[in-house]
Amino acid sequence: MEIDRIDTDRIEMPDRSGELTLDAMFEALEKMPVPEGIKVEIVEGNIFMSLQRDTHWDIILDIVEQLRARYPRKRIKSDVRIDYPGYLNGFATDVTLIAEGAVKDARGRWRYQDVEFVAEVISKRTGANDYGSKKVTYAQAGVPVYLIADPYTGRCRLFTDPKDGEYLTEVSVAFGKDLDLTDTAVGLTLKTGEFPRD
């Protein structure tokens, strides 16, 4: 089961100024009976919820395990809220690599300026976000490496070199082929041979 999105005008927001904020939206979501295992994020002011599927989780875990061979656990995040530039963007990325030495801000959150790598695994109902709004937002935020793993097409799409709100370089490889990230901020070759397909 996947839930596409929730209209934010149907949720009472506890912000006194009347202006919609990410904090108010997430505070309202915390009061809702969202079942365990449901990923929740806000993209351009719309709330998206999706249920974790086996295929989705297997790819996420594979990427995390490969990153763990090179990076300490504290630098790798999954489904952790990070606020990005643009209108009400509070993403809970599938996999995030935080820069060495990064510290949380005064509110206890990781800053998008410290994100070195993002990986999103496509879900049918939210895939348009990953290929569209989120890709643009990551480029505007200057995220050096953005990877989309798509179990429906059996391909990975890698975006690098963000400039002026877009990625200048794009590489596409089929599942089963190695993805060379050695010349990027990630600094390793990602094996995709065990990525499952849907």
Side-chain angles (χ1 to χ4, degrees):
M1 169 190 158
E2 287 187 32
I3 301 169
D4 286 312
R5 68 183 194 111
I6 295 175
D7 273 331
T8 53
D9 54 344
R10 292 189 196 152
I11 299 174
E12 281 193 39
M13 296 297 145
D15 184 40
R16 291 183 183 94
S17 70
E19 181 181 331
L20 195 60
T21 67
L22 280 172
D23 287 341
M25 292 175 77
F26 278 109
E27 187 177 316
L29 283 166
E30 287 175 11
K31 295 175 182 173
M32 291 176 62
V34 177
E36 194 71 30
I38 300 289
K39 175 181 173 174
V40 179
E41 61 185 350
I42 301 172
V43 180
E44 295 182 332
N46 294 301
I47 298 167
F48 291 87
M49 298 181 182
S50 55
L51 185 62
Q52 189 75 268
R53 297 175 347 272
D54 276 349
T55 301
H56 194 259
W57 174 241
D58 286 345
I59 295 172
I60 291 170
L61 187 57
D62 197 337
I63 294 169
V64 167
E65 287 174 341
Q66 291 183 63
L67 290 173
R68 279 289 292 131
R70 181 175 175 94
Y71 298 103
R73 183 182 342 258
K74 66 181 181 177
R75 289 187 55 194
I76 304 165
K77 309 296 170 193
S78 180
D79 289 342
V80 172
R81 173 185 168 188
I82 298 176
D83 296 348
Y84 283 88
Y87 178 70
L88 299 176
N89 287 316
F91 300 163
T93 306
D94 291 327
V95 181
T96 303
L97 178 65
I98 302 291
E100 184 174 359
V103 294
K104 292 181 180 180
D105 65 17
R107 292 166 37 191
R109 295 196 193 110
W110 296 106
R111 300 171 343 115
Y112 73 84
Q113 295 92 335
D114 294 322
V115 173
E116 293 186 335
F117 168 74
V118 164
E120 297 281 13
V121 181
I122 295 297
S123 295
K124 276 187 181 176
R125 302 213 191 284
T126 59
N129 291 336
D130 298 328
Y131 283 116
S133 303
K134 290 174 89 173
K135 180 181 146 206
V136 170
T137 300
Y138 291 138
Q140 289 171 341
V143 173
V145 184
Y146 175 40
L147 173 69
I148 296 175
D150 190 333
Y152 302 103
T153 63
R155 299 194 74 76
C156 286
R157 289 178 63 188
L158 177 69
F159 301 93
T160 56
D161 304 319
K163 185 174 181 178
D164 299 327
E166 65 180 292
Y167 284 104
L168 302 180
T169 306
E170 178 183 344
V171 175
S172 179
V173 301
F175 284 10
K177 302 221 179 238
D178 290 351
L179 189 56
D180 185 3
L181 304 174
T182 54
D183 290 333
T184 72
V186 181
L188 57 77
T189 298
L190 188 70
K191 310 281 187 194
T192 69
E194 294 186 17
F195 285 10
R197 292 191 61 161
D198 255 345

